[in-house]
Amino acid sequence: MTNYIIRRVLLIPVLLMGVTLLIFAMLQFLGPVQRASLYIRDIPKNERVLERVIRKYGLDEDFLTQYWTWLVGKRDATTGERIGGILFGNFGYSRSASEPVVDIIKRRFPASLELALWAVVPVILGGVVLGVLAAVKHNTWIDQATRVFSILGWSFPTFVFGLLVLMIFYARLGWFPPGRVSDWANQVIRSPEFVSYTHLVTVDALLNGRFDIFVDALKHLILPIVTLSYLSWALLLRVTRSSMLEVLRQDYIVTARAKGLSERTVIFRHALPNALMPVVTIGGMMVVGLLNGVVITETVFNYPGIGKAAADAALYLDVVTVLALTLFNGFILIAANLVVDILYAFIDPRVRLE
Amino acid sequence: MTQAEVAPEMVAGEPLLPRRGRLERWLGPEMYRLLRGLLHNPLSIMGLILLAFFVFVAVAAPVLAPPRDPTAAYQIPRDGFGPNPKPPGSLWKVRQPPLPFWWKPVMGTDQWIHIMGTASGQWDIYYGVVWGTRTAFKVGVIITISVALIGIVIGSVSAYYGGWVDMVLMRITDIFLSFPFLLAAMTLSAILTPVLGKSLLPATIALITFGWMGYARLIRSDILSIKEREYVLAAKVIGASDARILLRHILPNAIFPTIVVASMDMGSYVLTFAALSFLGIGAEVGYADWGQLLSFARDWITNLADYWYIVVFPGIALVLFVLAWNLVGDALRDILDPRLRGRNA
């Protein structure tokens, strides 16, 4: 076990190195002038000043030197100020949002996190419950219905599904608006009386005793959650179903049944725990995906998370911002995958022996 | 299986190899099993019919919606420049494209009508949906072939040589897997757009760059199990070159699942490409592409109840296209799954 964890952790620096190198290599498609926004807010129009900027930040030096400056940063010889260093949070400046990328992340990440946290339970639970149901009722109409349901969900592009639910539940019925909170709620949140403890609106609203804001925020969250859930159920349902079917064929299930155990005990005590193994992997991947800023869902529902920020920046070809957000999400992805893998090794002893 | 099928016919004095057997010989046992499985499953039959329909629309596009300018057929024609979408059934006022021959008998008029309405900017949705089918196939085929090829090359080299080559290539695969897929594709697309110009190319290249890893892993594991077989050892003993062993002996026996899986992923590539177009970084505005058409709906979120046709028509086309591939792919995976092999086959 320890061996496995050590091997897994040792992989992290390799991955980090590779991801950052690749990102930086992609940056080389930009000219030195555009790359200047890695370090400064406004790119000067004056050619002489520009020249000085390029020299100061070493934008004309060789690849590895530049990479090092960008990654770890260096101290400016004359002024002593720190230049670059994405590892210390210097992600550069966003031309499209006119602010440092770090500020975008600070402001937007809580929004993405809130959506992810609310979506986790329905996404995982719904998929598993439907999958078990389909397996237990194998080859009945319930099985067929879940199959059709899941293939449909699998085929629906997020944005088409999102636009359709918006069309019905917002444009026609006016129940669930897009965005994060309504304007009046936003004013309250920005007022000095409202203390933002966590920057998760639903949690803060409860902590401030503003139940109306909690309800308002929840109303805005429902459509994105429904969209994310339905489209993720498709995959989770399939995995749970096939894994459960496989387990139900095992000898120890036959033994359990032969002992005269009730069907409920057989399914929930003997079959389900073993069938959930692969589900943990897929479920873990899904949670990671949710954490990762769900670009399309956030864009369709105009939800101000990281994914929406990246989509906006990409639209204006603001490469420095998109790259920084990709990198940030890459870090999260690597960390989250590590956690999932280690958890998995704890649950399933077969992984460790490999 | 074949034995049992052939035997009664021989008794009845039929030719030694009936037609079915000839088809099986021609396709090879694996393809034959696939085809039989596909034609025995109602869901996959539905998928095949849908696919046939889309192929028809793509091939017949110039007849279904004749372009004004055949050299720029993928440019959706527009009826003026007004900002508000027009509902299905409204008359085409300015710059009509030529009428197809079937128009008058079917529609009963010699006026162009916006069959599916127009989007903001008066782009004709019907034209975009029809020619978008071609875009979908084009993008899907290019991406699928490219990712499969890259995956096969990397996976087979990795598996065949093993050792540090395997180690390095698999770590590179891990690195590519560490990128959030859609974000990374968006980034690369945004980078390539100024370099290559606004076209389908940047998004296509971006999706290929971050899409090959699954196939590399798949073919690698298949080759690892094949490379220790006797016939490979035999080829080594007679001194065949590495390239010959890999290309002639190993790959033909390992490549099949990868190709099938890749081709069935075509639907999801088209979907992802449409998503990029929807975000505004795939096809340019006015290009016949379903995702690009759907992106017009983003301007009308509050009025979607009135302008439903911007979402519904391109949306249905995209969903049915992806659904068709998934229906067939779903059946294929069941057939290919070795654990299910031989059962109710």
Side-chain angles (χ1 to χ4, degrees):
Chain A
M1 185 71 202
T2 329
N3 251 338
Y4 174 80
I5 295 181
I6 290 175
R7 256 189 299 144
R8 195 59 191 71
V9 171
L10 278 181
L11 190 60
I12 297 290
V14 180
L15 291 182
L16 280 181
M17 186 83 178
V19 167
T20 50
L21 256 177
L22 214 65
I23 291 247
F24 195 71
M26 286 203 258
L27 271 172
Q28 302 309 306
F29 278 97
L30 304 176
V33 179
Q34 283 161 295
R35 261 182 288 136
S37 60
L38 287 173
Y39 305 105
I40 52 170
R41 184 184 295 263
D42 301 305
I43 301 174
K45 297 245 161 45
N46 184 327
E47 246 172 70
R48 246 200 274 115
V49 184
L50 194 60
E51 199 92 330
R52 221 179 305 142
V53 168
I54 289 178
R55 210 154 345 103
K56 176 173 175 191
Y57 298 103
L59 295 172
D60 49 358
E61 285 174 65
D62 64 300
F63 181 81
L64 282 179
T65 321
Q66 279 197 52
Y67 170 67
W68 192 251
T69 311
W70 174 75
L71 188 70
V72 192
K74 64 175 183 188
R75 213 163 275 288
D76 191 84
T78 46
T79 55
E81 77 180 299
R82 195 156 182 84
I83 293 172
I86 48 141
L87 289 185
F88 302 101
N90 288 330
F91 282 101
Y93 289 93
S94 165
R95 275 187 296 125
S96 55
S98 357
E99 61 180 331
V101 178
V102 179
D103 291 355
I104 299 185
I105 294 176
K106 273 188 199 146
R107 203 154 31 83
R108 302 271 190 137
F109 185 62
S112 286
L113 187 66
E114 185 170 25
L115 178 56
L117 290 177
W118 275 100
V120 163
V121 175
V123 163
I124 302 286
L125 211 61
V128 171
V129 168
L130 288 175
V132 170
L133 197 66
V136 173
K137 307 275 180 195
H138 185 44
N139 281 339
T140 64
W141 67 270
I142 297 182
D143 189 23
Q144 295 302 331
T146 52
R147 189 177 183 126
V148 172
F149 178 80
S150 93
I151 294 184
L152 264 180
W154 191 230
S155 308
F156 252 106
T158 320
F159 54 103
V160 175
F161 190 82
L163 287 172
L164 285 178
V165 292
L166 268 180
M167 188 166 96
I168 297 168
F169 293 101
Y170 172 58
R172 171 123 352 238
L173 299 171
W175 292 352
F176 306 117
R180 196 177 183 199
V181 286
S182 307
D183 287 340
W184 62 266
N186 203 17
Q187 273 171 16
V188 177
I189 291 170
R190 286 177 173 204
S191 68
E193 295 96 72
F194 190 92
V195 193
S196 292
Y197 300 98
T198 57
H199 292 280
L200 309 177
V201 175
T202 44
V203 179
D204 285 345
L206 287 182
L207 291 177
N208 282 282
R210 292 296 301 256
F211 202 67
D212 50 342
I213 294 187
F214 175 77
V215 172
D216 183 66
L218 212 54
K219 264 184 168 175
H220 286 83
L221 279 167
I222 284 199
L223 290 186
I225 293 176
V226 167
T227 307
L228 287 174
S229 305
Y230 179 41
L231 304 183
S232 331
W233 284 349
L235 179 61
L236 207 54
L237 192 162
R238 301 288 315 277
V239 175
T240 315
R241 174 178 172 275
S242 62
S243 153
M244 190 75 184
L245 278 181
E246 177 137 351
V247 169
L248 283 176
R249 277 197 290 263
Q250 301 291 323
D251 290 342
Y252 62 84
I253 297 295
V254 179
T255 313
R257 286 210 175 108
K259 278 197 301 186
L261 293 178
S262 72
E263 193 59 22
R264 168 183 292 231
T265 317
V266 171
I267 286 169
F268 288 103
R269 292 290 301 278
H270 294 255
L272 193 56
N274 290 307
L276 284 183
M277 294 293 176
V279 179
V280 173
T281 322
I282 304 287
M285 272 163 49
M286 280 186 172
V287 174
V288 172
L290 284 175
L291 266 180
N292 230 302
V294 269
V295 183
I296 308 277
T297 312
E298 288 183 358
T299 310
V300 172
F301 293 102
N302 201 16
Y303 188 86
I306 295 259
K308 173 84 165 63
D312 291 346
L315 192 58
Y316 293 103
L317 302 182
D318 178 1
V319 172
V320 169
T321 309
V322 200
L323 270 183
L325 294 177
T326 307
L327 189 62
F328 175 75
N329 276 342
F331 287 164
I332 294 184
L333 195 63
I334 292 174
N337 276 336
L338 176 72
V339 174
V340 171
D341 279 2
I342 291 180
L343 271 184
Y344 196 47
F346 266 109
I347 303 171
D348 188 353
R350 281 170 297 185
V351 174
R352 281 173 252 163
L353 298 174
E354 224 181 75
Chain B
M1 179 186 75
T2 325
Q3 289 275 319
E5 275 164 12
V6 169
E9 282 158 344
M10 276 168 62
V11 174
E14 292 281 314
L16 199 71
L17 282 171
R19 259 169 73 198
R20 215 168 144 192
R22 207 179 299 151
L23 183 69
E24 183 172 355
R25 265 199 312 176
W26 184 66
L27 286 172
E30 280 178 321
M31 275 303 271
Y32 179 73
R33 203 166 58 86
L34 269 189
L35 201 67
R36 224 172 55 108
L38 283 183
L39 295 176
H40 274 77
N41 179 340
L43 285 179
S44 67
I45 291 177
M46 215 164 84
L48 290 173
I49 292 174
L50 275 174
L51 280 184
F53 172 72
F54 278 110
V55 170
F56 165 75
V57 173
V59 172
V63 180
L64 292 172
R68 268 180 68 89
D69 173 8
T71 55
Y74 286 97
Q75 195 59 39
I76 305 178
R78 50 202 303 200
D79 178 12
F81 299 93
N84 287 350
K86 276 195 233 143
S90 25
L91 273 187
W92 195 312
K93 296 211 185 77
V94 286
R95 293 161 57 83
Q96 295 97 330
L99 278 181
F101 69 89
W102 52 269
W103 187 269
K104 199 147 183 223
V106 176
M107 307 298 291
T109 163
D110 48 7
Q111 281 286 320
W112 252 115
I113 290 172
H114 297 292
I115 302 179
M116 299 179 180
T118 63
S120 27
Q122 305 312 320
W123 312 93
D124 184 52
I125 296 179
Y126 167 73
Y127 189 96
V129 169
V130 169
W131 283 84
T133 315
R134 279 200 176 186
T135 311
F137 274 113
K138 216 162 65 174
V139 166
V141 167
I142 293 176
I143 297 182
T144 308
I145 291 180
S146 313
V147 287
L149 269 183
I150 300 176
I152 286 171
V153 169
I154 293 194
S156 49
V157 168
S158 186
Y160 183 71
Y161 289 101
W164 67 267
V165 177
D166 184 34
M167 162 85 184
V168 169
L169 285 177
M170 281 303 111
R171 289 301 81 76
I172 291 178
T173 312
D174 285 342
I175 288 169
F176 272 87
L177 279 170
S178 301
F179 279 97
F181 172 65
L182 196 65
L183 273 174
M186 277 164 58
T187 316
L188 191 56
S189 184
I191 288 177
L192 291 178
T193 302
V195 182
L196 299 171
K198 195 103 172 107
S199 67
L200 299 182
L201 216 52
T204 310
I205 295 179
L207 289 179
I208 294 170
T209 311
F210 293 100
W212 51 269
M213 295 84 76
Y215 310 111
R217 286 190 163 182
L218 184 61
I219 193 121
R220 175 175 172 271
S221 65
D222 283 346
I223 289 184
L224 280 182
S225 70
I226 283 180
K227 118 182 163 175
E228 305 298 333
R229 300 268 172 88
E230 283 87 351
Y231 61 84
V232 177
L233 296 179
K236 268 188 192 156
V237 170
I238 25 175
S241 70
D242 279 352
R244 191 184 162 82
I245 294 177
L246 196 52
L247 291 178
R248 293 294 299 275
H249 299 282
I250 295 184
L251 267 183
N253 290 302
I255 210 170
F256 192 66
T258 308
I259 288 184
V260 172
V261 169
S263 64
M264 288 308 121
D265 282 345
M266 190 150 138
S268 60
Y269 287 122
V270 171
L271 191 154
T272 319
F273 184 86
L276 286 182
S277 286
F278 175 75
L279 293 174
I281 36 184
E284 64 194 301
V285 178
Y287 194 91
D289 173 78
W290 296 331
Q292 190 277 131
L293 275 176
L294 282 160
S295 74
F296 283 117
R298 285 173 68 187
D299 307 332
W300 301 104
I301 296 291
T302 41
N303 313 64
L304 272 187
D306 302 324
Y307 299 143
W308 54 273
Y309 40 88
I310 315 179
V311 177
V312 169
F313 294 121
I316 287 181
L318 184 54
V319 170
L320 286 184
F321 187 86
V322 181
L323 181 70
W325 286 103
N326 285 350
L327 286 173
V328 179
D330 197 55
L332 276 182
R333 288 205 179 92
D334 273 1
I335 302 167
L336 282 180
D337 190 347
R339 281 171 302 180
L340 300 174
R341 195 170 287 176
R343 246 173 253 150
N344 64 26

